[in-house]
Amino acid sequence: MHERVTDRGAILRMFTLNYAKMVGEDQAIGSIEPGKSADFVLLSDNFMTAPLNNIRDMKAIETYIGGHKVYENK
């Protein structure tokens, strides 16, 4: 059985903070706040407002780990 999650905020938490909690790293990663590693990605569209049909086609423009750029899609 599959459940469909439609709340974009819930989806974002599932892949960020909830994942960090699951692996026991929520004190260091999973949300952007002082003292945590600045790991984040810049996407080609706004995940929270883009039409549903566009989400699948979003691309990572830049990826940062520990506050340092590790990937740039040129």
XYZ file of all heavy atoms in Angstrom:
582
model
N 0.839 -1.173 0.000
C 0.000 0.000 0.000
C 0.887 1.241 0.000
O 1.874 1.318 0.703
C -0.899 0.014 1.238
C -1.755 1.234 1.233
S -2.594 1.744 2.741
C -3.412 0.406 3.387
N 0.540 2.215 -0.809
C 1.280 3.470 -0.904
C 0.399 4.609 -0.423
O -0.779 4.655 -0.713
C 1.689 3.761 -2.350
C 2.612 2.728 -2.909
N 3.929 2.682 -2.577
C 2.402 1.706 -3.764
C 4.496 1.683 -3.211
N 3.589 1.062 -3.934
N 1.018 5.519 0.340
C 0.312 6.730 0.739
C 0.828 7.878 -0.106
O 2.021 7.973 -0.389
C 0.582 7.046 2.211
C -0.193 6.181 3.156
C -0.030 6.654 4.581
O -0.185 7.867 4.828
O 0.263 5.810 5.426
N -0.069 8.739 -0.489
C 0.327 9.914 -1.270
C 0.438 11.101 -0.317
O -0.517 11.436 0.371
C -0.704 10.182 -2.349
C -0.369 11.412 -3.139
C -1.258 11.552 -4.333
N -0.364 11.707 -5.448
C -0.505 11.157 -6.617
N -1.528 10.414 -6.868
N 0.367 11.366 -7.559
N 1.612 11.716 -0.268
C 1.831 12.900 0.551
C 1.687 14.105 -0.362
O 2.393 14.230 -1.354
C 3.223 12.890 1.211
C 3.432 14.142 2.044
C 3.409 11.643 2.051
N 0.762 14.985 -0.044
C 0.518 16.130 -0.916
C 0.965 17.459 -0.316
O 1.077 18.442 -1.028
C -0.970 16.234 -1.285
O -1.732 16.335 -0.087
C -1.417 15.016 -2.069
N 1.229 17.493 0.972
C 1.679 18.720 1.608
C 3.174 18.899 1.338
O 3.992 18.105 1.795
C 1.406 18.656 3.117
C 1.911 19.877 3.839
O 1.166 20.859 3.930
O 3.068 19.845 4.312
N 3.533 19.923 0.588
C 4.933 20.114 0.204
C 5.838 20.374 1.401
O 6.997 19.971 1.403
C 5.054 21.232 -0.815
C 4.403 20.850 -2.127
C 4.573 21.913 -3.152
N 3.685 21.667 -4.266
C 3.832 22.198 -5.451
N 4.819 23.037 -5.680
N 2.988 21.927 -6.415
N 5.325 21.043 2.415
C 6.125 21.244 3.625
C 6.454 19.918 4.282
O 7.575 19.701 4.749
N 5.494 18.994 4.307
C 5.724 17.662 4.884
C 6.755 16.894 4.066
O 7.612 16.201 4.616
C 4.411 16.895 4.961
N 6.683 17.027 2.754
C 7.652 16.345 1.889
C 9.053 16.887 2.138
O 10.019 16.128 2.273
C 7.257 16.512 0.409
C 5.953 15.757 0.130
C 8.378 16.018 -0.512
C 5.327 16.069 -1.209
N 9.179 18.197 2.232
C 10.480 18.819 2.483
C 11.044 18.371 3.827
O 12.222 18.010 3.930
C 10.344 20.342 2.422
C 11.619 21.147 2.412
C 12.519 20.759 1.253
C 11.291 22.628 2.348
N 10.212 18.348 4.867
C 10.658 17.874 6.190
C 11.067 16.408 6.141
O 12.025 15.992 6.790
C 9.568 18.086 7.233
C 9.461 19.514 7.732
C 8.475 19.643 8.887
N 7.126 19.256 8.520
C 6.264 19.993 7.838
N 6.619 21.187 7.414
N 5.054 19.551 7.568
N 10.352 15.603 5.355
C 10.648 14.178 5.260
C 12.068 13.956 4.724
O 12.785 13.081 5.192
C 9.622 13.514 4.332
C 9.719 12.029 4.286
S 8.326 11.223 3.431
C 7.989 12.268 2.050
N 12.489 14.785 3.759
C 13.803 14.610 3.155
C 14.902 15.400 3.847
O 16.071 15.262 3.478
C 13.758 14.983 1.674
C 13.097 13.927 0.839
C 11.792 14.089 0.407
C 13.763 12.757 0.522
C 11.173 13.106 -0.347
C 13.156 11.773 -0.232
C 11.854 11.947 -0.674
N 14.561 16.223 4.827
C 15.574 17.032 5.511
C 15.614 16.684 7.000
O 16.365 15.806 7.412
C 15.313 18.535 5.295
O 13.991 18.868 5.736
C 15.477 18.922 3.829
N 14.811 17.344 7.787
C 14.864 17.167 9.238
C 14.488 15.754 9.671
O 15.144 15.157 10.526
C 13.964 18.194 9.930
C 14.074 18.268 11.444
C 15.517 18.453 11.891
C 13.214 19.377 11.989
N 13.443 15.176 9.083
C 13.047 13.825 9.490
C 14.124 12.807 9.149
O 14.384 11.886 9.924
C 11.713 13.435 8.855
C 10.557 14.211 9.432
O 10.701 14.976 10.377
N 9.389 14.040 8.848
N 14.773 12.966 7.991
C 15.876 12.065 7.643
C 17.014 12.217 8.652
O 17.572 11.224 9.117
C 16.389 12.325 6.225
C 17.605 11.492 5.915
C 17.467 10.145 5.583
C 18.886 12.024 6.014
C 18.583 9.363 5.344
C 20.002 11.239 5.772
C 19.848 9.913 5.435
O 20.948 9.141 5.210
N 17.360 13.461 8.983
C 18.437 13.694 9.948
C 18.111 13.042 11.293
O 18.986 12.444 11.924
C 18.669 15.196 10.113
N 16.858 13.131 11.723
C 16.449 12.475 12.971
C 16.568 10.962 12.850
O 17.027 10.294 13.775
C 15.008 12.856 13.323
C 14.871 14.276 13.825
C 13.425 14.603 14.137
C 13.288 16.040 14.590
N 11.901 16.394 14.905
N 16.166 10.424 11.719
C 16.197 8.976 11.517
C 17.613 8.419 11.625
O 17.818 7.334 12.161
C 15.602 8.641 10.149
C 15.494 7.166 9.877
S 14.734 6.803 8.288
C 16.044 7.271 7.170
N 18.602 9.171 11.131
C 19.986 8.693 11.182
C 20.741 9.228 12.406
O 21.950 9.053 12.513
C 20.748 9.017 9.875
C 20.105 8.308 8.695
C 20.861 10.509 9.635
N 20.023 9.886 13.322
C 20.629 10.366 14.557
C 21.545 11.564 14.387
O 22.433 11.785 15.215
N 21.337 12.360 13.346
C 22.210 13.509 13.066
C 21.486 14.846 13.154
O 22.008 15.853 12.677
C 22.819 13.353 11.669
C 23.784 12.203 11.534
C 25.084 12.446 12.283
O 25.511 13.617 12.371
O 25.657 11.471 12.785
N 20.298 14.883 13.751
C 19.500 16.112 13.744
C 20.103 17.253 14.550
O 19.687 18.391 14.404
C 18.065 15.839 14.188
C 17.976 15.166 15.535
O 18.635 14.113 15.713
O 17.245 15.680 16.400
N 21.125 16.985 15.359
C 21.806 18.082 16.056
C 22.827 18.759 15.153
O 23.281 19.861 15.438
C 22.495 17.564 17.324
C 21.530 17.023 18.355
C 20.513 18.063 18.801
O 20.869 19.178 19.159
N 19.242 17.702 18.760
N 23.181 18.095 14.036
C 24.219 18.628 13.150
C 23.707 18.986 11.762
O 24.280 19.847 11.097
C 25.356 17.608 13.006
N 22.637 18.325 11.297
C 22.132 18.542 9.934
C 20.603 18.516 9.939
O 19.980 18.238 10.949
C 22.660 17.476 8.937
C 22.143 16.076 9.318
C 24.167 17.502 8.840
C 22.442 15.000 8.279
N 20.007 18.799 8.798
C 18.568 18.645 8.635
C 17.770 19.924 8.624
O 16.644 19.954 8.153
N 18.340 20.985 9.145
C 17.677 22.292 9.124
C 18.769 23.358 9.117
O 19.891 23.104 9.541
C 16.751 22.472 10.333
O 17.467 22.357 11.543
N 18.416 24.517 8.611
C 19.395 25.605 8.549
C 19.236 26.461 9.792
O 18.243 27.167 9.961
C 19.213 26.433 7.258
C 19.466 25.538 6.049
C 20.150 27.641 7.254
C 19.237 26.207 4.722
N 20.212 26.325 10.687
C 20.219 27.101 11.925
C 21.638 27.153 12.473
O 22.477 26.345 12.069
C 19.232 26.526 12.941
C 19.370 25.064 13.238
C 18.229 24.549 14.092
O 18.091 24.984 15.247
O 17.474 23.708 13.592
N 21.931 28.110 13.358
C 23.288 28.259 13.877
C 23.818 26.963 14.477
O 23.097 26.239 15.170
C 23.139 29.340 14.961
C 21.942 30.129 14.543
C 21.011 29.115 13.922
N 25.068 26.673 14.159
C 25.729 25.500 14.710
C 25.564 24.237 13.886
O 26.203 23.233 14.173
N 24.710 24.273 12.875
C 24.522 23.093 12.033
C 25.276 23.274 10.724
O 25.541 24.389 10.287
C 23.036 22.864 11.739
C 22.254 22.411 12.963
C 20.872 21.968 12.569
C 20.135 21.396 13.767
N 18.827 20.864 13.363
N 25.607 22.150 10.113
C 26.289 22.170 8.831
C 25.378 22.774 7.774
O 24.207 22.412 7.684
C 26.665 20.742 8.437
O 27.343 20.712 7.214
N 25.905 23.698 6.994
C 25.103 24.355 5.958
C 25.117 23.495 4.698
O 25.900 23.703 3.788
C 25.630 25.755 5.677
N 24.255 22.483 4.673
C 24.104 21.609 3.518
C 22.780 21.952 2.853
O 21.726 21.839 3.481
C 24.070 20.139 3.938
C 25.332 19.675 4.650
O 26.334 20.405 4.612
O 25.291 18.584 5.232
N 22.830 22.396 1.598
C 21.593 22.754 0.913
C 21.811 22.738 -0.584
O 22.939 22.671 -1.068
C 21.061 24.113 1.371
C 21.999 25.264 1.129
C 21.895 26.024 -0.023
C 22.975 25.586 2.048
C 22.755 27.091 -0.247
C 23.838 26.644 1.833
C 23.727 27.399 0.680
N 20.708 22.781 -1.312
C 20.749 22.768 -2.770
C 19.895 23.910 -3.304
O 18.872 24.250 -2.710
C 20.265 21.413 -3.319
C 18.830 21.139 -2.969
C 20.472 21.302 -4.807
N 20.349 24.549 -4.369
C 19.559 25.550 -5.079
C 18.924 24.846 -6.266
O 19.622 24.222 -7.071
C 20.434 26.702 -5.567
C 21.138 27.517 -4.491
C 22.042 28.557 -5.133
C 20.143 28.170 -3.577
N 17.614 24.921 -6.373
C 16.883 24.236 -7.435
C 16.518 25.182 -8.567
O 16.487 26.399 -8.390
C 15.613 23.605 -6.864
C 15.814 22.567 -5.774
C 14.482 22.140 -5.184
C 16.572 21.369 -6.312
N 16.171 24.622 -9.705
C 15.822 25.409 -10.882
C 14.441 26.045 -10.777
O 14.094 26.909 -11.584
C 15.873 24.527 -12.131
O 14.976 23.436 -12.005
N 13.660 25.654 -9.790
C 12.326 26.227 -9.586
C 12.038 26.199 -8.091
O 12.761 25.569 -7.322
C 11.279 25.410 -10.356
C 10.040 26.213 -10.723
O 9.778 27.253 -10.081
O 9.332 25.796 -11.644
N 10.993 26.870 -7.668
C 10.610 26.913 -6.261
C 9.764 25.683 -5.935
O 8.629 25.565 -6.404
C 9.827 28.190 -5.969
C 9.505 28.357 -4.504
O 9.377 27.390 -3.763
N 9.365 29.590 -4.078
N 10.318 24.761 -5.167
C 9.631 23.516 -4.818
C 8.273 23.768 -4.171
O 7.321 23.026 -4.385
C 10.510 22.686 -3.879
C 9.839 21.445 -3.373
C 9.708 20.340 -4.191
C 9.333 21.386 -2.084
C 9.073 19.196 -3.731
C 8.701 20.254 -1.622
C 8.572 19.159 -2.449
N 8.179 24.828 -3.395
C 6.944 25.088 -2.648
C 5.819 25.657 -3.515
O 4.657 25.521 -3.170
C 7.224 26.029 -1.474
C 8.225 25.486 -0.476
S 7.731 23.917 0.277
C 6.484 24.488 1.396
N 6.147 26.289 -4.638
C 5.113 26.955 -5.433
C 5.023 26.488 -6.885
O 4.078 26.859 -7.580
C 5.331 28.480 -5.428
O 6.615 28.771 -6.015
C 5.255 29.051 -4.017
N 5.962 25.710 -7.352
C 5.954 25.268 -8.747
C 4.747 24.365 -9.014
O 4.305 23.635 -8.121
C 7.233 24.497 -9.064
N 4.211 24.403 -10.224
C 3.138 23.476 -10.576
C 3.607 22.028 -10.379
O 4.776 21.707 -10.604
C 2.882 23.767 -12.059
C 3.383 25.158 -12.272
C 4.536 25.307 -11.327
N 2.710 21.171 -9.941
C 3.067 19.778 -9.673
C 3.782 19.118 -10.842
O 4.726 18.354 -10.649
C 1.820 18.963 -9.308
C 1.237 19.219 -7.928
C -0.049 18.413 -7.739
C 2.231 18.886 -6.846
N 3.350 19.404 -12.053
C 3.964 18.787 -13.226
C 5.409 19.212 -13.429
O 6.154 18.546 -14.135
C 3.160 19.116 -14.488
C 1.800 18.477 -14.467
O 1.559 17.505 -13.766
N 0.886 19.026 -15.236
N 5.829 20.319 -12.826
C 7.204 20.812 -12.989
C 8.183 20.203 -11.986
O 9.392 20.237 -12.213
C 7.247 22.330 -12.853
C 6.545 23.044 -13.987
O 5.822 22.430 -14.767
N 6.741 24.347 -14.070
N 7.684 19.671 -10.891
C 8.573 19.192 -9.826
C 9.497 18.090 -10.333
O 10.690 18.093 -10.051
C 7.762 18.747 -8.594
C 7.132 19.979 -7.944
C 8.651 17.996 -7.599
C 6.221 19.674 -6.782
N 8.977 17.168 -11.076
C 9.789 16.053 -11.570
C 10.959 16.528 -12.430
O 12.007 15.883 -12.489
C 8.913 15.099 -12.361
C 9.641 13.880 -12.862
C 8.689 12.941 -13.510
N 7.782 12.472 -12.475
C 7.260 11.265 -12.423
N 7.505 10.416 -13.381
N 6.459 10.915 -11.453
N 10.802 17.662 -13.088
C 11.830 18.153 -13.999
C 12.786 19.158 -13.370
O 13.675 19.682 -14.059
C 11.166 18.797 -15.223
C 10.377 17.782 -16.035
O 10.807 16.615 -16.119
O 9.313 18.149 -16.571
N 12.638 19.436 -12.080
C 13.539 20.374 -11.423
C 14.962 19.836 -11.452
O 15.190 18.637 -11.367
C 13.129 20.600 -9.970
C 11.947 21.485 -9.810
S 11.657 21.754 -8.049
C 10.102 22.568 -8.136
N 15.895 20.746 -11.567
C 17.313 20.392 -11.594
C 18.036 21.089 -10.445
O 17.661 22.173 -10.032
C 17.948 20.848 -12.912
C 17.257 20.340 -14.150
C 17.632 18.926 -14.439
C 17.092 18.484 -15.776
N 16.057 17.513 -15.719
N 19.080 20.439 -9.954
C 19.953 21.071 -8.973
C 20.848 22.045 -9.723
O 21.526 21.668 -10.677
C 20.782 20.039 -8.239
N 20.825 23.306 -9.328
C 21.678 24.330 -9.931
C 23.023 24.381 -9.205
O 24.073 24.444 -9.821
C 20.995 25.715 -9.888
C 19.632 25.667 -10.582
C 21.895 26.793 -10.475
C 19.677 25.293 -12.040
N 22.954 24.362 -7.878
C 24.164 24.340 -7.051
C 23.891 23.494 -5.821
O 22.764 23.437 -5.337
C 24.556 25.745 -6.597
C 24.962 26.667 -7.713
C 25.302 28.072 -7.239
O 25.136 28.387 -6.034
O 25.718 28.866 -8.078
N 24.938 22.832 -5.317
C 24.844 22.057 -4.088
C 25.952 22.508 -3.149
O 27.101 22.666 -3.576
C 24.985 20.549 -4.372
O 23.958 20.159 -5.281
C 24.857 19.732 -3.090
N 25.598 22.725 -1.890
C 26.547 23.154 -0.858
C 26.582 22.123 0.267
O 25.539 21.642 0.703
C 26.129 24.504 -0.268
C 26.266 25.648 -1.238
C 25.330 25.860 -2.241
C 27.354 26.515 -1.153
C 25.460 26.898 -3.141
C 27.488 27.563 -2.058
C 26.542 27.750 -3.043
O 26.680 28.774 -3.935
N 27.769 21.784 0.719
C 27.951 20.904 1.867
C 28.902 21.608 2.819
O 29.989 22.045 2.417
C 28.491 19.526 1.457
C 27.486 18.837 0.534
C 28.792 18.668 2.688
C 27.936 17.505 -0.014
N 28.496 21.742 4.063
C 29.312 22.449 5.037
C 29.539 23.903 4.662
O 30.547 24.491 5.030
N 28.607 24.470 3.904
C 28.715 25.859 3.488
C 29.603 26.089 2.275
O 29.797 27.220 1.860
N 30.134 25.017 1.690
C 31.024 25.124 0.536
C 30.337 24.549 -0.711
O 29.768 23.460 -0.650
C 32.343 24.391 0.783
C 33.078 24.886 1.980
N 33.807 26.048 1.971
C 33.156 24.396 3.230
C 34.332 26.248 3.165
N 33.949 25.252 3.955
N 30.440 25.269 -1.817
C 29.851 24.790 -3.064
C 30.620 23.557 -3.535
O 31.837 23.599 -3.698
C 29.904 25.875 -4.130
C 29.138 25.483 -5.388
C 29.312 26.436 -6.553
C 29.062 27.869 -6.216
N 29.142 28.761 -7.387
N 29.885 22.465 -3.751
C 30.508 21.234 -4.223
C 30.007 20.836 -5.603
O 30.534 19.910 -6.208
C 30.291 20.073 -3.233
C 30.979 20.363 -1.904
C 28.821 19.777 -3.038
N 28.983 21.542 -6.097
C 28.438 21.224 -7.419
C 27.820 22.472 -8.021
O 27.157 23.229 -7.322
C 27.369 20.137 -7.316
C 26.644 19.887 -8.628
C 27.215 19.146 -9.639
C 25.366 20.432 -8.839
C 26.555 18.934 -10.843
C 24.695 20.225 -10.035
C 25.294 19.475 -11.034
O 24.639 19.272 -12.214
N 28.061 22.666 -9.297
C 27.415 23.749 -10.030
C 27.046 23.219 -11.410
O 27.899 22.710 -12.132
C 28.333 24.960 -10.152
C 27.673 26.129 -10.858
C 28.529 27.379 -10.836
O 29.661 27.353 -10.311
O 28.059 28.403 -11.350
N 25.777 23.337 -11.758
C 25.290 22.906 -13.065
C 25.424 24.080 -14.018
O 24.697 25.049 -13.917
C 23.833 22.469 -12.948
C 23.286 21.917 -14.248
O 23.946 21.913 -15.266
N 22.058 21.460 -14.192
N 26.352 24.002 -14.925
C 26.613 25.136 -15.829
C 25.889 24.975 -17.115
O 25.716 24.090 -17.769
C 28.101 25.293 -16.066
C 28.808 25.696 -14.801
C 30.272 25.922 -15.061
C 30.934 26.323 -13.753
N 32.267 26.725 -13.906
